[in-house]
Amino acid sequence: MGVKKIVSTVLTFLPGITIAMLAVTGFAQMPIFKRYYIADIPGFGWLAKFYVTHYMHYLLAVVLLAFLGHRSVSWFLGRKRGAGTVWTTKIKRLILAGLVATGMMLVVRNLPGYHFSPGVLVALDLTHLGLTVLLMVTGVVSVVVSRIIPDQNNKSV
Amino acid sequence: MSEKTMDPSISRRSFLKQGAASAVTIAATALPTVASAGESQQLATLIDIEKCVGCGACVEACREKNQENYPRVKKPFPKMIPKRAKPEDWSDKQEIIHRLTPYNWLFVQTTRVMVDGRERELNIPRRCMHCINPPCVKLCPWGAARQFPNGISRIDPDICLGGSKCKAVCPWKIPQRQSGVGLYLDIMPSMAGNGVMYKCDRCYDRIEKGGEPACIEACPEGVQTLGPRDEIIKLARERARQINGFVYGDTENGGTNTIYLSPVPFETLNKSMEQGPGRPDFEPKKDAMAHGNNLVTAMAIAPFAGAMAALGKFYMFTKKSDTKEG
Ligand code: SF4
Ligand code: SF4
Ligand code: SF4
């Protein structure tokens, strides 16, 4: 496999891997991986380290935002338009937009000097979590749909 | 402090009844209350260690004031799944005053050190530091903890599930858990949560009404001084210069709103005093939130970098096609 091919394979899977890792590091913000022994599995200890997963979540968000910037311009210029706009893909895009919006607000919340009222705090956390679960469900649905109707071109984002 | 930003917390019942939908609605109406307040608006306390005689009046006053806020436990505790999650119970040890517990939010650490060539006993009131950017608040996955614009951080006992993440991320491991109380009992008591976390809320309700925290009011020696953070820092540094002393809390964890003034270095205090669960140290602390927050600029640039890359690719592509056609 040539370097070009490797790069293009990585680029194809990068968005999917980034989103999956964002979900994992996001879930790791809840104290569940230690409680449920997942962090005990050799190589998974980092899942119980809140500051490590928090930092990773931020780093992955940087990658995702760069990718979304790239995708949006490509779409605007017409290079990626047309293919992959089945209903599940449209829903996934909407959910992703919601995740980015709530995620950005949470990033602002984490800066010194920003105070959110309790309703906003709970709503943001719940919405961010709920949208992640929804994205996962939609992902599964879109795989099933693409199996049933194989000619549908389902893109991951 | 405006009433708008100090709006009451969601009650446990309404939270459960209306669930996430209510929270989203609240968010929509409460959005204008998202506020950015600089450190200048924060209130800080100066604790002059040399003045403290260790009488414990502050501890007593805190316990009296917060009796109504202490956990009222339902027993037996839910059976935990998996067994690793053990219930924590302080309800039969409410009399303990020599460490932090869910029933004791302030205690006095006592130690003996050499000051100017003679051995002296020093007494140090310890409680939550009320960090400028508190990880306990910012990293709570459930939004149960919040910080008021005046710098006070508080864990809402009606929302907290007792997962203890706030304690894990707190540089001083301040919040303390009591099982058998709180929202988790109404959701999935065996599978998620384990009680409620408790810590000093700096008598936010008294301060809101223009009053003083109970511990400050009760102290016969005037050990604590409360005021705007910049003034308190100035005062602490000035006093430190006068007594050849040392200051702690001004820069720790990126800065806190509890400033200690000591006649001996905090390293010395830290070595001499008893530490452990519920007994915080005086170690230097790096800004715990800085690692993530330093990536915010990268986050802001990332979409533009991606867009530029796409534009570049598009430019190369059109150039190539032009050359081919030409
Ligand atoms: S000392 Fe700990 S509990 Fe107190 S505000 Fe700072 S992080 Fe939170
Ligand atoms: S400020 Fe209030 S809650 Fe905090 S230690 Fe003092 S009396 Fe207790
Ligand atoms: S009441 Fe004042 S002197 Fe007495 S222990 Fe508390 S801080 Fe020290």
Side-chain angles (χ1 to χ4, degrees):
Chain A
M1 201 189 277
V3 177
K4 223 173 167 186
K5 180 98 181 143
I6 294 172
V7 172
S8 101
T9 314
V10 168
L11 284 178
T12 311
F13 290 108
L14 188 66
I17 294 169
T18 306
I19 291 171
M21 286 303 288
L22 271 164
V24 171
T25 51
F27 280 116
Q29 297 314 303
M30 295 185 282
I32 50 173
F33 286 126
K34 191 172 174 196
R35 176 166 175 164
Y36 288 100
Y37 300 94
I38 293 159
D40 289 9
I41 302 168
F44 285 91
W46 57 275
L47 281 173
K49 293 182 179 141
F50 295 120
Y51 282 116
V52 171
T53 52
H54 183 246
Y55 188 69
M56 284 177 73
H57 200 68
Y58 270 44
L59 267 181
L60 289 158
V62 172
V63 177
L64 179 73
L65 287 169
F67 168 75
L68 291 178
H70 188 281
R71 248 304 153 86
S72 309
V73 171
S74 300
W75 178 86
F76 186 73
L77 296 175
R79 296 195 55 216
K80 295 265 161 83
R81 229 181 279 192
T85 43
V86 290
W87 60 275
T88 46
T89 306
K90 282 181 191 161
I91 291 174
K92 277 192 275 183
R93 282 179 187 164
L94 265 180
I95 298 172
L96 206 58
L99 276 167
V100 170
T102 49
M104 269 160 52
M105 288 190 73
L106 287 168
V107 166
V108 170
R109 184 270 316 255
N110 287 349
L111 293 169
Y114 284 86
H115 315 279
F116 287 24
S117 56
V120 176
L121 269 184
V122 175
L124 273 180
D125 282 324
L126 285 186
T127 313
H128 202 63
L129 174 66
L131 287 173
T132 309
V133 175
L134 211 62
L135 188 67
M136 286 160 70
V137 172
T138 320
V140 172
V141 170
S142 72
V143 169
V144 174
V145 168
S146 66
R147 288 277 149 84
I148 299 169
I149 318 165
D151 59 332
Q152 292 220 28
N153 185 0
N154 266 308
K155 285 194 175 303
S156 61
V157 183
Chain B
M1 186 188 319
S2 74
E3 264 178 37
K4 214 173 175 191
T5 48
M6 289 289 281
D7 50 359
S9 39
I10 310 163
S11 85
R12 183 167 149 198
R13 190 165 299 158
S14 76
F15 184 85
L16 274 177
K17 252 194 200 162
Q18 296 151 36
S22 83
V24 174
T25 319
I26 294 165
T29 52
L31 265 174
T33 69
V34 173
S36 158
E39 287 164 26
S40 54
Q41 254 185 277
Q42 302 204 350
L43 284 175
T45 323
L46 171 64
I47 299 182
D48 189 340
I49 294 173
E50 253 192 321
K51 281 189 185 171
C52 179
V53 294
C55 67
C58 52
V59 179
E60 262 319 299
C62 177
R63 289 168 69 90
E64 206 181 300
K65 193 257 161 186
N66 288 304
Q67 267 307 319
E68 58 177 25
N69 300 322
Y70 289 158
R72 273 180 259 294
V73 173
K74 263 192 216 158
K75 286 188 186 175
F77 296 139
K79 227 185 183 155
M80 302 306 276
I81 303 170
K83 283 210 170 75
R84 166 180 275 181
K86 300 229 173 351
E88 274 186 69
D89 187 16
W90 291 91
S91 60
D92 300 328
K93 294 173 266 182
Q94 294 187 31
E95 69 291 347
I96 288 178
I97 55 162
H98 57 269
R99 58 161 286 174
L100 299 173
T101 79
Y103 297 88
N104 198 58
W105 302 353
L106 165 70
F107 79 107
V108 181
Q109 254 168 340
T110 300
T111 186
R112 300 194 78 81
V113 286
M114 297 298 282
V115 183
D116 300 330
R118 68 186 175 99
E119 199 186 56
R120 266 186 65 186
E121 184 183 89
L122 291 179
N123 301 291
I124 318 160
R126 299 304 302 270
R127 54 154 171 77
C128 168
M129 302 286 287
H130 294 284
C131 307
I132 285 178
N133 200 28
C136 61
V137 172
K138 303 296 174 106
L139 298 181
C140 171
W142 196 228
R146 73 168 299 212
Q147 186 187 34
F148 298 112
N150 64 6
I152 293 176
S153 64
R154 177 176 182 257
I155 299 169
D156 190 330
D158 288 329
I159 305 177
C160 177
L161 291 176
S164 200
K165 183 184 175 185
C166 52
K167 183 179 179 181
V169 297
C170 167
W172 291 275
K173 308 280 174 267
I174 298 285
Q176 302 289 319
R177 174 163 61 192
Q178 174 63 51
S179 300
V181 60
L183 186 63
Y184 89 112
L185 293 174
D186 302 319
I187 305 178
M188 289 191 293
S190 300
M191 311 277 291
N194 195 1
V196 172
M197 306 302 294
Y198 294 89
K199 69 169 193 76
C200 157
D201 58 16
R202 224 167 69 184
C203 295
Y204 76 103
D205 44 351
R206 279 176 162 232
I207 289 186
E208 200 179 8
K209 290 184 194 123
E212 267 193 328
C215 55
I216 298 187
E217 199 178 81
C219 177
E221 304 294 328
V223 169
Q224 300 191 57
T225 313
L226 184 72
R229 187 170 195 274
D230 38 6
E231 282 175 31
I232 290 293
I233 298 280
K234 218 167 115 190
L235 180 68
R237 292 192 179 143
E238 218 169 86
R239 290 274 299 124
R241 246 194 321 275
Q242 285 165 4
I243 64 163
N244 249 339
F246 302 85
V247 172
Y248 184 86
D250 52 343
T251 56
E252 278 66 28
N253 190 29
T256 78
N257 286 313
T258 302
I259 315 297
Y260 286 96
L261 174 68
S262 161
V264 292
F266 283 90
E267 211 185 331
T268 312
L269 274 185
N270 198 45
K271 276 188 197 142
S272 67
M273 67 193 200
E274 208 187 319
Q275 292 162 29
R279 294 187 184 99
D281 57 36
F282 272 123
E283 301 267 341
K285 308 280 181 192
K286 278 197 191 133
D287 185 351
M289 294 298 294
H291 65 295
N293 288 343
N294 289 342
L295 284 176
V296 172
T297 317
M299 256 183 230
I301 296 168
F304 298 103
M308 290 310 288
L311 276 174
K313 210 170 163 190
F314 182 74
Y315 173 72
M316 296 298 283
F317 175 78
T318 42
K319 209 174 153 193
K320 234 188 216 168
S321 346
D322 282 354
T323 328
K324 258 189 205 163
E325 276 165 29

